Structures are given as C-alpha cells and as structure tokens.
Amino acid sequence: MALVNYNDVLAYAKEHKITVGAFNAMNMEMAQALISAADKKNSPLILQTYHAHVDYAGADYMQAITDVASRHTDMKIAMGLDHGRSFEQAKLCCDNHYTGVMIDLASENYDYNVKETRKVVELAHARGISVEAELGTISDADRSIEEIASGYTDPVMAKSFVKDTNIDCLAVSIGTAHGMYKYTPKINFELLGTLLQDVPCPIVVHGGSNTPDEEVEHMVKMGIAKLNVGTDFFNAYIGAVSKVLDEKGKKTDIIEMMAAARNAVEEVAMRKLDILTKFRV
Ligand code: 13P
C-alpha cells in the first residue's frame, strides 16, 4: 500500500485501541525488517528517520526505500522525520514526500518553538503531511532519574501549545529517555494520565528502547498514541553483525551478515509490536 500520513495511522490506532510503533530505520535492511514485522503482526507502523540519519543517508534515499518497503504489505505505513532540527530540515523531508515530520525545538523558548512549529504546520498541512512537536525535555538515558524528571512536560503549557500550533501529535516528557538507561526508568503515570486527559491531540512517548515491558504495557493501556523506538533495533543490528564477524572473520559472506542483521531487527520489532497491540479490539 502507498504511504499514508500520521493522522491516518493514529486514527486506526485509536479505533483499535493500539499504540502505533514509530520505529527508526537508517538503511534498506532495517526498513525491510520493520515493515515485515508490521506485516506479520497485522499492525500499522510509522517508519521514521532520525535527523542525523537524514543527514547521513539523504531524505530522498530513505523515502524511496520506505516507499518501496511499504508496498510489500497491506498494512498502513507512514514515513516520518524524527526530531527535525529546523524548519529547513522539515521542509526537505516534506519536499521528499515524507508523510509526517517532527519539529523538535523543545530546547528553545516557548514563543520560538510555537513560531517555528507553526511555520512547519502551515507548509506540511497544505500538502497533507502530519506534524509532531515536543514540549518538555526528553533527556538522554544516561542521565539520573532526577535530571530526567526535571524536564517533565507541563500539562497547562502543553494544552496551549497544541492550540497555538495546530500540530497533529505531541511528544511529552514523562520519565522515558533516549538510548540505554543507566537506571531503571521511573515513569510518571499520574502526569501521563493528566496529559492524556487535557491535551487535545494524540500523545507520543519517546525512548521506547529498554523500557521494561510492563511499563510499556501500562502506557499502551492508558492510551498513548505513538511509541518511538530506535536503540533496541540499532543494538540488534550491530549485535548480529558482530556475531557473524566474530564467527567468520575475513571469510564473512556479506549476504549472510546483512540477513542476520535484518532477522535480528525483525525479531525485536515483532516483540515490541506484541506489546503495542496487546489490547487490540
Ligand atoms: P530510543 O532510541 O531510546 O528507543 O528512543 C527513540 C526515540 O525516541 C526516537 O525519537
């Protein structure tokens, strides 16, 4: 099926009481693995490109790979820019037919974040492309629990941010973080409940890797719309490549190595999707 926008997959998720996986890919094998997992698990998916991977691989390459991969399934697949750094980067992805873009100016002041996010919304919505933005600080996972908590999203501000920008979904800070956790994450479910109730758009949680399954399950049950996961797939990929290289050294067959990486990513993705679709109706 051709790529759809975020609103299309998010509406499907709401209707079926699932959380959409927003999984990061940065090459063909990862895109194939993640979309194959979605197909096997009968689940929609957002396949997204981290801003640095757009710089590395090119928005045109990543869009083309994802577009081809999405035609290998009947599931709804969207294609997004993850943590877009500027209006210009968001525009680049819109020009290259991404169906969703995230503009992340959460580290800037509120007014600048609103102004630039609105610019992205005007451009993207005119082309049927969805927009995600962020409020609060989603830290890196090597920070202390206290540091992570100091960036929590303020629900009152979040409500006005959504009204001021007209975004389609909001990434919030509730205790998850990006990368490998140094300490077991402490999710603030009370804050999440308030955000889900008060914020007038779907809620996105980042930092889905190595967050304990029970915590993810609880957030899914509460109704988060989209869960971003990246590091778990990168680690699975690197782990599989390393294993083949350790075993075969210079005699490594390149197809065997890439296939092992693709299979490892697919397996991790299927396990994640089991949790995200656990309460499907
Ligand atoms: P992880 O790499 O921790 O899964 O976070 C991914 C993410 O939130 C991308 O936006």
Side-chain angles (χ1 to χ4, degrees), residues 127-158:
R127 302 179 188 188
I129 300 168
S130 314
V131 179
E132 173 180 343
E134 177 177 322
L135 203 66
T137 306
I138 303 171
S139 306
D140 289 335
D142 58 356
R143 304 287 159 80
S144 69
I145 300 286
E146 292 73 26
E147 274 177 290
I148 292 171
S150 68
Y152 281 163
T153 303
D154 173 36
V156 176
M157 213 184 246

PDB file of all heavy atoms in Angstrom, residues 127-158:
ATOM      1  N   ARG A 127       0.121  20.227   2.317  1.00  0.00           N
ATOM      2  CA  ARG A 127       0.444  19.068   1.457  1.00  0.00           C
ATOM      3  C   ARG A 127      -0.088  17.751   2.030  1.00  0.00           C
ATOM      4  O   ARG A 127       0.328  16.672   1.609  1.00  0.00           O
ATOM      5  CB  ARG A 127       1.967  18.960   1.316  1.00  0.00           C
ATOM      6  CG  ARG A 127       2.595  20.218   0.746  1.00  0.00           C
ATOM      7  CD  ARG A 127       4.100  20.043   0.671  1.00  0.00           C
ATOM      8  NE  ARG A 127       4.775  21.280   0.321  1.00  0.00           N
ATOM      9  CZ  ARG A 127       6.071  21.367   0.044  1.00  0.00           C
ATOM     10  NH1 ARG A 127       6.822  20.288   0.082  1.00  0.00           N
ATOM     11  NH2 ARG A 127       6.621  22.512  -0.242  1.00  0.00           N
ATOM     12  N   GLY A 128      -0.925  17.837   3.069  1.00  0.00           N
ATOM     13  CA  GLY A 128      -1.488  16.622   3.669  1.00  0.00           C
ATOM     14  C   GLY A 128      -0.496  15.847   4.529  1.00  0.00           C
ATOM     15  O   GLY A 128      -0.657  14.654   4.793  1.00  0.00           O
ATOM     16  N   ILE A 129       0.565  16.532   4.970  1.00  0.00           N
ATOM     17  CA  ILE A 129       1.604  15.888   5.797  1.00  0.00           C
ATOM     18  C   ILE A 129       1.343  16.233   7.270  1.00  0.00           C
ATOM     19  O   ILE A 129       1.013  17.374   7.596  1.00  0.00           O
ATOM     20  CB  ILE A 129       3.012  16.388   5.363  1.00  0.00           C
ATOM     21  CG1 ILE A 129       3.260  16.032   3.887  1.00  0.00           C
ATOM     22  CG2 ILE A 129       4.102  15.834   6.267  1.00  0.00           C
ATOM     23  CD1 ILE A 129       4.472  16.717   3.266  1.00  0.00           C
ATOM     24  N   SER A 130       1.478  15.249   8.149  1.00  0.00           N
ATOM     25  CA  SER A 130       1.207  15.472   9.575  1.00  0.00           C
ATOM     26  C   SER A 130       2.435  16.026  10.292  1.00  0.00           C
ATOM     27  O   SER A 130       3.566  15.844   9.829  1.00  0.00           O
ATOM     28  CB  SER A 130       0.798  14.154  10.244  1.00  0.00           C
ATOM     29  OG  SER A 130      -0.147  13.471   9.459  1.00  0.00           O
ATOM     30  N   VAL A 131       2.194  16.683  11.447  1.00  0.00           N
ATOM     31  CA  VAL A 131       3.299  17.292  12.189  1.00  0.00           C
ATOM     32  C   VAL A 131       3.256  16.897  13.669  1.00  0.00           C
ATOM     33  O   VAL A 131       2.208  16.942  14.316  1.00  0.00           O
ATOM     34  CB  VAL A 131       3.257  18.841  12.087  1.00  0.00           C
ATOM     35  CG1 VAL A 131       4.405  19.465  12.883  1.00  0.00           C
ATOM     36  CG2 VAL A 131       3.325  19.295  10.632  1.00  0.00           C
ATOM     37  N   GLU A 132       4.441  16.503  14.166  1.00  0.00           N
ATOM     38  CA  GLU A 132       4.627  16.219  15.597  1.00  0.00           C
ATOM     39  C   GLU A 132       5.594  17.264  16.138  1.00  0.00           C
ATOM     40  O   GLU A 132       6.525  17.677  15.443  1.00  0.00           O
ATOM     41  CB  GLU A 132       5.244  14.816  15.748  1.00  0.00           C
ATOM     42  CG  GLU A 132       5.647  14.470  17.182  1.00  0.00           C
ATOM     43  CD  GLU A 132       6.271  13.057  17.282  1.00  0.00           C
ATOM     44  OE1 GLU A 132       6.104  12.235  16.342  1.00  0.00           O
ATOM     45  OE2 GLU A 132       6.937  12.793  18.285  1.00  0.00           O
ATOM     46  N   ALA A 133       5.360  17.716  17.361  1.00  0.00           N
ATOM     47  CA  ALA A 133       6.327  18.615  18.009  1.00  0.00           C
ATOM     48  C   ALA A 133       6.518  18.131  19.438  1.00  0.00           C
ATOM     49  O   ALA A 133       5.893  17.151  19.866  1.00  0.00           O
ATOM     50  CB  ALA A 133       5.831  20.051  17.959  1.00  0.00           C
ATOM     51  N   GLU A 134       7.404  18.809  20.161  1.00  0.00           N
ATOM     52  CA  GLU A 134       7.756  18.334  21.514  1.00  0.00           C
ATOM     53  C   GLU A 134       7.712  19.479  22.503  1.00  0.00           C
ATOM     54  O   GLU A 134       8.077  20.610  22.175  1.00  0.00           O
ATOM     55  CB  GLU A 134       9.170  17.730  21.470  1.00  0.00           C
ATOM     56  CG  GLU A 134       9.693  17.273  22.818  1.00  0.00           C
ATOM     57  CD  GLU A 134      11.070  16.603  22.692  1.00  0.00           C
ATOM     58  OE1 GLU A 134      11.301  15.869  21.712  1.00  0.00           O
ATOM     59  OE2 GLU A 134      11.906  16.849  23.583  1.00  0.00           O
ATOM     60  N   LEU A 135       7.283  19.169  23.717  1.00  0.00           N
ATOM     61  CA  LEU A 135       7.312  20.156  24.791  1.00  0.00           C
ATOM     62  C   LEU A 135       7.792  19.457  26.060  1.00  0.00           C
ATOM     63  O   LEU A 135       7.330  18.369  26.381  1.00  0.00           O
ATOM     64  CB  LEU A 135       5.903  20.733  24.995  1.00  0.00           C
ATOM     65  CG  LEU A 135       5.868  22.106  25.652  1.00  0.00           C
ATOM     66  CD1 LEU A 135       6.495  23.172  24.763  1.00  0.00           C
ATOM     67  CD2 LEU A 135       4.434  22.500  25.964  1.00  0.00           C
ATOM     68  N   GLY A 136       8.706  20.136  26.775  1.00  0.00           N
ATOM     69  CA  GLY A 136       9.397  19.478  27.895  1.00  0.00           C
ATOM     70  C   GLY A 136      10.708  18.949  27.347  1.00  0.00           C
ATOM     71  O   GLY A 136      10.973  19.053  26.151  1.00  0.00           O
ATOM     72  N   THR A 137      11.540  18.362  28.223  1.00  0.00           N
ATOM     73  CA  THR A 137      12.831  17.844  27.741  1.00  0.00           C
ATOM     74  C   THR A 137      12.862  16.332  27.865  1.00  0.00           C
ATOM     75  O   THR A 137      12.751  15.794  28.963  1.00  0.00           O
ATOM     76  CB  THR A 137      13.992  18.427  28.587  1.00  0.00           C
ATOM     77  OG1 THR A 137      13.872  19.845  28.571  1.00  0.00           O
ATOM     78  CG2 THR A 137      15.332  18.012  28.040  1.00  0.00           C
ATOM     79  N   ILE A 138      13.011  15.661  26.726  1.00  0.00           N
ATOM     80  CA  ILE A 138      13.218  14.208  26.760  1.00  0.00           C
ATOM     81  C   ILE A 138      14.732  14.015  26.734  1.00  0.00           C
ATOM     82  O   ILE A 138      15.387  14.239  25.721  1.00  0.00           O
ATOM     83  CB  ILE A 138      12.532  13.509  25.569  1.00  0.00           C
ATOM     84  CG1 ILE A 138      11.027  13.843  25.559  1.00  0.00           C
ATOM     85  CG2 ILE A 138      12.749  12.003  25.646  1.00  0.00           C
ATOM     86  CD1 ILE A 138      10.282  13.379  24.314  1.00  0.00           C
ATOM     87  N   SER A 139      15.292  13.605  27.895  1.00  0.00           N
ATOM     88  CA  SER A 139      16.749  13.554  28.054  1.00  0.00           C
ATOM     89  C   SER A 139      17.351  12.328  27.388  1.00  0.00           C
ATOM     90  O   SER A 139      16.634  11.455  26.885  1.00  0.00           O
ATOM     91  CB  SER A 139      17.108  13.451  29.541  1.00  0.00           C
ATOM     92  OG  SER A 139      16.524  14.464  30.269  1.00  0.00           O
ATOM     93  N   ASP A 140      18.687  12.249  27.463  1.00  0.00           N
ATOM     94  CA  ASP A 140      19.367  11.007  27.109  1.00  0.00           C
ATOM     95  C   ASP A 140      19.320  10.086  28.319  1.00  0.00           C
ATOM     96  O   ASP A 140      19.330  10.544  29.461  1.00  0.00           O
ATOM     97  CB  ASP A 140      20.816  11.297  26.703  1.00  0.00           C
ATOM     98  CG  ASP A 140      20.862  11.995  25.348  1.00  0.00           C
ATOM     99  OD1 ASP A 140      19.903  11.811  24.563  1.00  0.00           O
ATOM    100  OD2 ASP A 140      21.832  12.728  25.094  1.00  0.00           O
ATOM    101  N   ALA A 141      19.303   8.765  28.043  1.00  0.00           N
ATOM    102  CA  ALA A 141      19.029   7.801  29.106  1.00  0.00           C
ATOM    103  C   ALA A 141      20.198   7.583  30.072  1.00  0.00           C
ATOM    104  O   ALA A 141      20.061   6.842  31.048  1.00  0.00           O
ATOM    105  CB  ALA A 141      18.602   6.475  28.485  1.00  0.00           C
ATOM    106  N   ASP A 142      21.345   8.226  29.804  1.00  0.00           N
ATOM    107  CA  ASP A 142      22.451   8.074  30.759  1.00  0.00           C
ATOM    108  C   ASP A 142      22.364   9.096  31.898  1.00  0.00           C
ATOM    109  O   ASP A 142      23.226   9.158  32.760  1.00  0.00           O
ATOM    110  CB  ASP A 142      23.805   8.182  30.048  1.00  0.00           C
ATOM    111  CG  ASP A 142      23.976   9.501  29.315  1.00  0.00           C
ATOM    112  OD1 ASP A 142      23.015  10.302  29.299  1.00  0.00           O
ATOM    113  OD2 ASP A 142      25.064   9.734  28.759  1.00  0.00           O
ATOM    114  N   ARG A 143      21.295   9.910  31.918  1.00  0.00           N
ATOM    115  CA  ARG A 143      21.096  10.903  32.984  1.00  0.00           C
ATOM    116  C   ARG A 143      20.447  10.249  34.205  1.00  0.00           C
ATOM    117  O   ARG A 143      19.837   9.194  34.104  1.00  0.00           O
ATOM    118  CB  ARG A 143      20.193  12.049  32.501  1.00  0.00           C
ATOM    119  CG  ARG A 143      20.679  12.736  31.270  1.00  0.00           C
ATOM    120  CD  ARG A 143      21.900  13.618  31.572  1.00  0.00           C
ATOM    121  NE  ARG A 143      22.660  13.894  30.352  1.00  0.00           N
ATOM    122  CZ  ARG A 143      22.328  14.813  29.459  1.00  0.00           C
ATOM    123  NH1 ARG A 143      21.260  15.554  29.643  1.00  0.00           N
ATOM    124  NH2 ARG A 143      23.049  14.999  28.384  1.00  0.00           N
ATOM    125  N   SER A 144      20.562  10.947  35.353  1.00  0.00           N
ATOM    126  CA  SER A 144      19.942  10.414  36.573  1.00  0.00           C
ATOM    127  C   SER A 144      18.419  10.550  36.473  1.00  0.00           C
ATOM    128  O   SER A 144      17.908  11.349  35.684  1.00  0.00           O
ATOM    129  CB  SER A 144      20.450  11.189  37.785  1.00  0.00           C
ATOM    130  OG  SER A 144      19.934  12.502  37.744  1.00  0.00           O
ATOM    131  N   ILE A 145      17.718   9.786  37.328  1.00  0.00           N
ATOM    132  CA  ILE A 145      16.251   9.843  37.358  1.00  0.00           C
ATOM    133  C   ILE A 145      15.802  11.285  37.632  1.00  0.00           C
ATOM    134  O   ILE A 145      14.843  11.779  37.025  1.00  0.00           O
ATOM    135  CB  ILE A 145      15.718   8.919  38.487  1.00  0.00           C
ATOM    136  CG1 ILE A 145      16.152   7.468  38.251  1.00  0.00           C
ATOM    137  CG2 ILE A 145      14.206   9.025  38.640  1.00  0.00           C
ATOM    138  CD1 ILE A 145      15.447   6.727  37.164  1.00  0.00           C
ATOM    139  N   GLU A 146      16.528  11.983  38.522  1.00  0.00           N
ATOM    140  CA  GLU A 146      16.157  13.360  38.895  1.00  0.00           C
ATOM    141  C   GLU A 146      16.307  14.300  37.702  1.00  0.00           C
ATOM    142  O   GLU A 146      15.455  15.145  37.448  1.00  0.00           O
ATOM    143  CB  GLU A 146      17.023  13.874  40.057  1.00  0.00           C
ATOM    144  CG  GLU A 146      16.780  13.183  41.396  1.00  0.00           C
ATOM    145  CD  GLU A 146      17.345  11.759  41.452  1.00  0.00           C
ATOM    146  OE1 GLU A 146      18.314  11.462  40.713  1.00  0.00           O
ATOM    147  OE2 GLU A 146      16.780  10.943  42.209  1.00  0.00           O
ATOM    148  N   GLU A 147      17.422  14.146  36.976  1.00  0.00           N
ATOM    149  CA  GLU A 147      17.637  15.008  35.796  1.00  0.00           C
ATOM    150  C   GLU A 147      16.538  14.783  34.758  1.00  0.00           C
ATOM    151  O   GLU A 147      16.027  15.738  34.172  1.00  0.00           O
ATOM    152  CB  GLU A 147      18.999  14.699  35.155  1.00  0.00           C
ATOM    153  CG  GLU A 147      20.157  15.468  35.760  1.00  0.00           C
ATOM    154  CD  GLU A 147      21.464  15.042  35.102  1.00  0.00           C
ATOM    155  OE1 GLU A 147      21.889  13.890  35.348  1.00  0.00           O
ATOM    156  OE2 GLU A 147      22.027  15.835  34.340  1.00  0.00           O
ATOM    157  N   ILE A 148      16.198  13.503  34.541  1.00  0.00           N
ATOM    158  CA  ILE A 148      15.151  13.191  33.557  1.00  0.00           C
ATOM    159  C   ILE A 148      13.837  13.831  34.004  1.00  0.00           C
ATOM    160  O   ILE A 148      13.127  14.465  33.213  1.00  0.00           O
ATOM    161  CB  ILE A 148      15.002  11.657  33.373  1.00  0.00           C
ATOM    162  CG1 ILE A 148      16.269  11.088  32.694  1.00  0.00           C
ATOM    163  CG2 ILE A 148      13.757  11.312  32.563  1.00  0.00           C
ATOM    164  CD1 ILE A 148      16.357   9.572  32.636  1.00  0.00           C
ATOM    165  N   ALA A 149      13.553  13.728  35.311  1.00  0.00           N
ATOM    166  CA  ALA A 149      12.283  14.256  35.834  1.00  0.00           C
ATOM    167  C   ALA A 149      12.223  15.784  35.768  1.00  0.00           C
ATOM    168  O   ALA A 149      11.135  16.356  35.686  1.00  0.00           O
ATOM    169  CB  ALA A 149      12.081  13.777  37.273  1.00  0.00           C
ATOM    170  N   SER A 150      13.388  16.439  35.758  1.00  0.00           N
ATOM    171  CA  SER A 150      13.377  17.909  35.754  1.00  0.00           C
ATOM    172  C   SER A 150      12.854  18.462  34.419  1.00  0.00           C
ATOM    173  O   SER A 150      12.512  19.634  34.316  1.00  0.00           O
ATOM    174  CB  SER A 150      14.779  18.461  36.036  1.00  0.00           C
ATOM    175  OG  SER A 150      15.616  18.163  34.938  1.00  0.00           O
ATOM    176  N   GLY A 151      12.754  17.594  33.408  1.00  0.00           N
ATOM    177  CA  GLY A 151      12.274  18.070  32.104  1.00  0.00           C
ATOM    178  C   GLY A 151      10.816  17.738  31.819  1.00  0.00           C
ATOM    179  O   GLY A 151      10.353  17.941  30.692  1.00  0.00           O
ATOM    180  N   TYR A 152      10.084  17.239  32.823  1.00  0.00           N
ATOM    181  CA  TYR A 152       8.685  16.844  32.597  1.00  0.00           C
ATOM    182  C   TYR A 152       7.884  17.911  31.846  1.00  0.00           C
ATOM    183  O   TYR A 152       8.049  19.122  32.096  1.00  0.00           O
ATOM    184  CB  TYR A 152       7.974  16.621  33.931  1.00  0.00           C
ATOM    185  CG  TYR A 152       8.254  15.288  34.606  1.00  0.00           C
ATOM    186  CD1 TYR A 152       7.966  15.123  35.963  1.00  0.00           C
ATOM    187  CD2 TYR A 152       8.778  14.209  33.913  1.00  0.00           C
ATOM    188  CE1 TYR A 152       8.197  13.922  36.608  1.00  0.00           C
ATOM    189  CE2 TYR A 152       9.008  13.000  34.557  1.00  0.00           C
ATOM    190  CZ  TYR A 152       8.718  12.862  35.896  1.00  0.00           C
ATOM    191  OH  TYR A 152       8.944  11.679  36.534  1.00  0.00           O
ATOM    192  N   THR A 153       6.976  17.475  31.016  1.00  0.00           N
ATOM    193  CA  THR A 153       6.083  18.388  30.285  1.00  0.00           C
ATOM    194  C   THR A 153       5.036  18.969  31.229  1.00  0.00           C
ATOM    195  O   THR A 153       4.430  18.234  32.012  1.00  0.00           O
ATOM    196  CB  THR A 153       5.363  17.607  29.150  1.00  0.00           C
ATOM    197  OG1 THR A 153       6.366  17.033  28.307  1.00  0.00           O
ATOM    198  CG2 THR A 153       4.452  18.509  28.345  1.00  0.00           C
ATOM    199  N   ASP A 154       4.819  20.278  31.113  1.00  0.00           N
ATOM    200  CA  ASP A 154       3.794  20.946  31.918  1.00  0.00           C
ATOM    201  C   ASP A 154       2.447  20.833  31.176  1.00  0.00           C
ATOM    202  O   ASP A 154       2.327  21.309  30.042  1.00  0.00           O
ATOM    203  CB  ASP A 154       4.197  22.416  32.099  1.00  0.00           C
ATOM    204  CG  ASP A 154       3.097  23.208  32.778  1.00  0.00           C
ATOM    205  OD1 ASP A 154       2.432  22.645  33.662  1.00  0.00           O
ATOM    206  OD2 ASP A 154       2.881  24.371  32.390  1.00  0.00           O
ATOM    207  N   PRO A 155       1.429  20.207  31.797  1.00  0.00           N
ATOM    208  CA  PRO A 155       0.162  19.962  31.088  1.00  0.00           C
ATOM    209  C   PRO A 155      -0.551  21.247  30.654  1.00  0.00           C
ATOM    210  O   PRO A 155      -1.163  21.269  29.578  1.00  0.00           O
ATOM    211  CB  PRO A 155      -0.692  19.209  32.113  1.00  0.00           C
ATOM    212  CG  PRO A 155       0.239  18.731  33.154  1.00  0.00           C
ATOM    213  CD  PRO A 155       1.435  19.630  33.157  1.00  0.00           C
ATOM    214  N   VAL A 156      -0.465  22.312  31.449  1.00  0.00           N
ATOM    215  CA  VAL A 156      -1.170  23.552  31.091  1.00  0.00           C
ATOM    216  C   VAL A 156      -0.520  24.161  29.843  1.00  0.00           C
ATOM    217  O   VAL A 156      -1.190  24.569  28.879  1.00  0.00           O
ATOM    218  CB  VAL A 156      -1.138  24.557  32.277  1.00  0.00           C
ATOM    219  CG1 VAL A 156      -1.783  25.878  31.883  1.00  0.00           C
ATOM    220  CG2 VAL A 156      -1.815  23.944  33.500  1.00  0.00           C
ATOM    221  N   MET A 157       0.824  24.173  29.863  1.00  0.00           N
ATOM    222  CA  MET A 157       1.555  24.699  28.718  1.00  0.00           C
ATOM    223  C   MET A 157       1.304  23.830  27.470  1.00  0.00           C
ATOM    224  O   MET A 157       1.168  24.342  26.354  1.00  0.00           O
ATOM    225  CB  MET A 157       3.046  24.692  29.054  1.00  0.00           C
ATOM    226  CG  MET A 157       3.835  25.805  28.451  1.00  0.00           C
ATOM    227  SD  MET A 157       5.564  25.573  28.842  1.00  0.00           S
ATOM    228  CE  MET A 157       5.836  26.968  29.895  1.00  0.00           C
ATOM    229  N   ALA A 158       1.245  22.519  27.689  1.00  0.00           N
ATOM    230  CA  ALA A 158       1.041  21.589  26.564  1.00  0.00           C
ATOM    231  C   ALA A 158      -0.301  21.850  25.884  1.00  0.00           C
ATOM    232  O   ALA A 158      -0.399  21.840  24.650  1.00  0.00           O
ATOM    233  CB  ALA A 158       1.110  20.151  27.057  1.00  0.00           C
TER     234      ALA A 158
END
